[in-house]
Amino acid sequence: MSTSPAQCSRPLRVLVADDNALNLRLATRLLREMGHSGVLVTDGRKALQALQAQHFDVALFDVTMPDMGGLEALAELRAWERAGRPRTPVIMVTAYDLPEDRRRMLDAGADGYVAKPLDAERLAAELARVLGGRPS
């Protein structure tokens, strides 16, 4: 299922951070089917570098990545934002799908949460919820 124009007012520019090539390909395909574009990185440190260099409407961070995981990258991003950087919504993507896992992600500063494996309907719904249906 793809998002409808009513869910997103314009194509999104999405940063996708995941160390698994299959997950990156799947995210790219789903985003493209929804009319969005993705920039792909393989760890949290590279995600932070991309966020420093470019604007993204939203970021998808895998929780577990080498070098720097998604939660660590999220903590550093939120610290930058407290220092004056514009806020970037972050949706955590993880195989952990228990209610306490979701609460832990949101308490860490995530705007949303999607369990793996990604599917178009859940991803579209979470993007629309996090961005309020009106991407900036």
Side-chain angles (χ1 to χ4, degrees):
M1 176 181 166
S2 296
T3 63
S4 69
Q7 287 179 298
C8 291
S9 61
R10 68 173 176 85
L12 300 173
R13 188 163 156 69
V14 183
L15 175 64
V16 182
D18 196 308
D19 62 317
N20 183 290
L22 290 174
N23 292 335
L24 288 171
R25 281 198 300 269
L26 176 60
T28 300
R29 183 177 58 81
L30 294 175
L31 290 168
R32 188 174 42 243
E33 288 174 0
M34 293 178 209
H36 308 313
S37 64
V39 171
L40 312 177
V41 297
T42 56
D43 65 53
R45 196 162 313 285
K46 290 175 185 162
L48 292 173
Q49 291 168 349
L51 286 162
Q52 285 181 316
Q54 305 171 53
H55 167 77
F56 294 93
D57 297 299
V58 63
L60 305 177
F61 284 3
D62 182 25
V63 171
T64 306
M65 295 182 282
D67 191 25
M68 178 184 276
L71 289 172
E72 295 144 314
L74 177 63
E76 193 161 324
L77 174 62
R78 295 302 184 234
W80 294 350
E81 292 166 348
R82 285 190 295 277
R85 178 186 170 22
R87 194 166 200 292
T88 300
V90 175
I91 297 173
M92 300 305 290
V93 181
T94 181
Y96 306 113
D97 195 19
L98 298 173
E100 57 268 21
D101 296 319
R102 179 179 180 83
R103 177 78 319 200
R104 183 172 58 103
M105 308 296 164
L106 297 175
D107 287 348
D111 298 280
Y113 170 95
V114 178
K116 290 181 183 177
L118 283 179
D119 74 54
E121 188 172 335
R122 285 185 298 176
L123 180 57
E126 194 66 352
L127 285 168
R129 187 192 70 73
V130 165
L131 298 171
R134 291 166 283 133
S136 57

